[in-house]
Amino acid sequence: MILSSAKVADFDQFLQIFSTKGAEKRKEYGSKGSRVFRDPEDASRVWVVFDWEVEDYEKFIADPEVPAIFQEAGLHGPPVKAEAAGQYGS
């Protein structure tokens, strides 16, 4: 699992691109799915949890076509991946 966040110009535009062009490109790199959350304190920030291997995520980020998809989705810069601090049973 990977958690990332980004600021977006327009949430609806972000979702439109994220769920179409973005989804197609992520699938090329082995993403098994994602879940999008809006930050309750900042309407322009989104949080996304991906079912994805870190190595494949990093290959996706390095793809030269990805910055254009991010731009079309209205991201204010590349997403920031959170670093895992631990994993617990319950």
Side-chain angles (χ1 to χ4, degrees), residues 16-32:
Q16 172 61 31
I17 301 305
F18 183 87
S19 65
T20 57
K21 289 182 182 180
E24 292 169 12
K25 182 57 80 172
R26 291 190 307 275
K27 188 174 182 179
E28 287 179 30
Y29 287 93
S31 175
K32 297 179 187 96

Side-chain angles (χ1 to χ4, degrees), residues 34-63:
S34 59
R35 191 168 222 182
V36 176
F37 298 86
R38 283 185 96 166
D39 188 314
E41 296 181 10
D42 183 350
S44 68
R45 180 169 300 285
V46 295
W47 295 88
V48 182
V49 178
F50 294 102
D51 185 0
W52 212 348
E53 297 298 323
V54 172
E55 300 81 21
D56 294 332
Y57 172 84
E58 291 170 357
K59 290 176 188 173
F60 165 79
I61 293 294
D63 183 305

